Each structure stands twice: as C-alpha cells, then as structure tokens.
Amino acid sequence: MEVTETFAGIALPGHLHTQESLGFAAAFTFRPSDVLIATYPKSGTTWMQEILTLLFSLGDARPAKTIPNWERAPWLEQIYCREALRDTGSPRLLTTHLPAPVLAPALQRSKAKVIYVARNPKDVAVSFYHFHHLAKFLPDPSSFDAFLTQFLEGTVHYGSWFEHVKGWLGQRHLLDILYVTYEELHQDLRGTAQRLSSFLGCPLAPGTLAALEQHCSFSAMRDNAMANYSLIPAEIMDHSQGRFMRKGVVGDWRSHFSPEQNALFNRRYQEEMGDTELPAQWPMA
Ligand code: A3P
C-alpha cells in the first residue's frame, strides 16, 4: 500500500521520504565543491549520475560498476541515502527531485554547482506512467488518460512538471547552474560531456570520452545492476511489471498520445510555458 507525504505543497512517496528526511534536505549545508543533479522524475537523472561518475573518475568505470548509483550520487531527501550522505569525500555528487524553492536558499548561500536536466514533458509523462506500474511506492496510475490529466494538473507525486522546470529555470541568475536536456544527451553525448567538464572545471583525461560513451550507453546501463535498479527489492519495485531502463528513446509519446490528448497537452503547455525561456524547444506538434 503506497503512503503519501506532503511537503512544500507537493505529494511525495512516503516509502522514500519522511517529514524528517525532507526537513533534513531543506536544511542541508552544501559545500563549495558539491555538484547537485536536480531533475523532475524520468528526465534523465540516472543517466546524468552515470555520466558525472565517469567524468569524476576520469573514465575509470570501476566505481560505476561496483557502487550503486544511489550511493555514488545520493538523494538529499531520501531516507535510504542518509548513510551515503555522511560520506565525507569531496567533491560530493548529490541528487534531488525537490522543487527549487526548497533548496534555492541553501544553494544561494553556497558555491555549489547545480546541473538541471530537463526532458520533453510528453516523454516524461509516458515514462512516469510506466514507472508507476513498476514502483510500488507510487499510486496505481489507472489508465494513461487519467494519469495524463493528473500530470497536467500537477497532482501526480513530485508535483507539477511545469512548476518544477520554471522554478529551476528561475534560478539561472542566482545559482551556478547548467541546464542540460535529455535530448541533447541523445544527440551529442560527447559534446554535452565536454560542456559538463568545462562547467565543472573537471579535466577530460585521454580516453574519458570513449569510456563514457561506452559505459553510459542505454544498453550498458540497462545491463549494469549498479545503475538499472534491479537490486531494489520487489516490495519497492515490482520488476515483473517492467524495467527501470525501459526504452530510452526520444519521442515515445507519439505512440501513446491520441490527437485529443496531444491537443490538450499543447494547450496546457502553451498556457504554462508560453513566455518561458527554455533550454530547448521540444517538438510539440
Ligand atoms: P524511459 O522510461 O523513456 O525509457 P530518470 O533516471 O530521471 O528516472 O529517467 C529514466 C528515463 O531515462 C527512462 O526513460 C530511462 O530509460 C532513461 N535513460 C536512463 N539511462 C539512459 C541512457 N543511457 N540512454 C537513454 N535513456 C536513458
């Protein structure tokens, strides 16, 4: 039975978060050397965790092959990550799905760097819908149509995609933040890794890009138990219902949306994002 926590006006899975763990995240003291990956769920979080692991290790794949991603890049807000967060090594790679208003004050007081990954929200909705079947800590999504309505209303767990993206985009002049899109990672993984490396001031050793391309491919990650969540027990993720590493493609929404759902989504998107300067123009037609 899934349990819900409400924090900062949004619903969150109670199996992963408590008021205490959420309060801990909100009061987190960042170090200047910290690198925080911030995302709305299903936007490429795990992919970015893997890429940064490889950049930090100068292309050595051993950490990514031997340490689970939630220990390499722990979530600030999750109860399961507290042990990993106690680790004193620097630079720390951290992860969050929390909205910007919760973390921005602490981040603004620090020199920590933030990498915000965004994905076409239509593909996010599809990926999130499928993930609801697998994740026992999320409510039963019922039909795709019902789920899409909740996604557009922002009543799904983790709240409104629109608010999440606008909130973090609103920090562009206040934080040391780099915006990356899932589609960019698909189109040019090498170029994006180079952009990440110069933003982080992290040198690219010879061979790092080749190792990164090999290790961070969809197939390599799908087969890596340290990245594909197959280690998570069945009472938290029911692996018989699908894979975390599901398809890993751009534009899967086209095989899920009816013309009516697409028109509704486009209207809502225009209302919410019409005036927003975005890191990408997603094909919405
Ligand atoms: P799909 O469900 O569309 O396949 P997150 O890590 O934020 O939860 O995002 C999960 C989504 O990113 C899933 O999308 C997953 O397959 C995709 N993904 C993870 N690693 C990837 C990779 N190396 N290449 C392409 N997509 C990847």
Side-chain angles (χ1 to χ4, degrees):
M1 179 65 192
E2 77 58 48
V3 186
T4 299
E5 283 290 342
T6 303
F7 187 75
I10 58 173
L12 292 160
H15 281 104
L16 306 181
H17 316 93
T18 57
Q19 290 300 318
E20 192 278 330
S21 80
L22 293 160
F24 172 87
F28 195 76
T29 305
F30 290 95
R31 297 177 191 160
S33 57
D34 284 343
V35 178
L36 176 69
I37 302 168
T39 59
Y40 188 86
K42 315 321 288 177
S43 301
T45 326
T46 317
W47 201 359
M48 186 53 74
Q49 289 174 326
E50 210 72 356
I51 292 165
L52 295 185
T53 300
L54 266 281
L55 276 184
F56 279 15
S57 70
L58 307 179
D60 181 352
R62 278 174 299 183
K65 283 183 172 163
T66 53
I67 307 169
N69 62 333
W70 60 89
E71 287 181 22
R72 283 185 262 126
W75 265 265
L76 293 179
E77 62 270 21
Q78 283 194 13
I79 46 180
Y80 297 109
C81 293
R82 193 60 66 78
E83 198 57 42
L85 286 168
R86 276 197 203 103
D87 178 14
T88 50
S90 285
R92 291 184 300 189
L93 189 51
L94 308 165
T95 310
T96 190
H97 284 327
L98 289 174
V102 177
L103 295 177
L107 285 165
Q108 285 165 13
R109 285 193 296 274
S110 81
K111 289 192 160 55
K113 290 184 189 294
V114 181
I115 293 162
Y116 188 78
V117 190
R119 184 182 189 184
N120 184 329
K122 293 182 182 176
D123 283 338
V124 170
V126 168
S127 178
F128 209 12
Y129 168 70
H130 287 289
F131 189 57
H132 275 63
H133 290 108
L134 172 70
K136 305 297 283 179
F137 50 83
L138 291 170
D140 178 353
S142 171
S143 66
F144 179 65
D145 196 57
F147 180 80
L148 199 58
T149 303
Q150 289 171 29
F151 183 86
L152 291 175
E153 284 169 355
T155 52
V156 288
H157 277 50
Y158 297 97
S160 155
W161 179 90
F162 304 109
E163 293 306 318
H164 203 279
V165 172
K166 286 191 284 189
W168 282 102
L169 283 176
Q171 294 297 317
R172 63 170 76 234
H173 303 300
L174 302 168
L175 298 180
D176 199 4
I177 184 164
L178 182 74
Y179 298 98
V180 175
T181 64
Y182 176 90
E183 292 75 17
E184 228 175 315
L185 293 172
H186 253 279
Q187 206 182 0
D188 183 12
L189 184 59
R190 272 186 177 241
T192 316
Q194 279 163 333
R195 205 151 70 85
L196 286 162
S197 125
S198 40
F199 173 70
L200 298 172
C202 161
L204 275 176
T208 298
L209 285 176
L212 191 146
E213 259 185 334
Q214 192 195 349
H215 190 79
C216 301
S217 69
F218 181 78
S219 58
M221 284 180 60
R222 187 193 54 206
D223 296 340
N224 179 9
M226 299 297 146
N228 65 16
Y229 287 98
S230 56
L231 296 177
I232 300 293
E235 61 270 21
I236 301 179
M237 279 192 200
D238 182 353
H239 303 287
S240 70
Q241 296 299 312
R243 284 176 154 198
F244 179 88
M245 299 290 297
R246 192 183 60 92
K247 279 195 181 170
V249 298
V250 170
D252 194 30
W253 66 267
R254 292 178 199 279
S255 61
H256 286 73
F257 280 46
S258 68
E260 294 74 28
Q261 288 166 339
N262 196 32
L264 174 69
F265 201 111
N266 287 344
R267 258 199 319 279
R268 188 87 187 93
Y269 185 87
Q270 192 51 36
E271 280 163 20
E272 287 280 357
M273 307 301 281
D275 301 330
T276 313
E277 208 183 306
L278 288 165
Q281 287 308 321
W282 289 291
M284 281 290 147

